[in-house]
Amino acid sequence: MKLCNALEKLQETLPPVFAGKSLDQFTGNGYRWRTLQNEKSKGETPDDIFLRSGTRKLLIVRDAFLAYWQSKLSSSGDRS
């Protein structure tokens, strides 16, 4: 999947894998860690977005997350 320009720029700057707690900071609060956790608990996210480190720490796989985020975005001119 080709990412939109904004997410391509994030892809260039984000590490390939990062701690979920860093999501708010890395996205400029554009996507909140708490929101992603809620979506995960509802079974709305693909499993390949997450890796587990130890028993509690969740890591985010950058490319899988960005593809998921893009599927949720619409153009600001889209009023549907």
Side-chain angles (χ1 to χ4, degrees):
M1 168 190 284
K2 176 132 172 59
L3 295 173
C4 67
N5 291 338
L7 294 185
E8 278 183 352
K9 292 194 183 306
L10 272 178
Q11 189 176 36
E12 294 170 5
T13 60
L14 292 176
V17 176
F18 56 92
K21 288 174 41 172
S22 304
L23 184 64
D24 295 13
Q25 177 187 351
F26 282 154
T27 65
N29 291 326
Y31 209 105
R32 304 299 300 261
W33 174 230
R34 177 178 274 178
T35 300
L36 189 60
Q37 287 177 305
N38 287 336
E39 292 168 349
K40 181 181 183 312
S41 72
K42 293 177 188 175
E44 298 173 357
T45 59
D47 291 335
D48 64 346
I49 289 178
F50 303 101
L51 295 174
R52 187 167 297 280
S53 176
T55 57
R56 295 189 46 114
K57 189 171 192 175
L58 277 178
L59 305 175
I60 296 178
V61 179
R62 175 196 63 206
D63 294 343
F65 166 72
L66 291 175
Y68 172 69
W69 190 6
Q70 177 156 297
S71 74
K72 297 174 62 89
L73 294 175
S74 63
S75 169
S76 63
D78 184 5
R79 298 181 189 262
S80 53

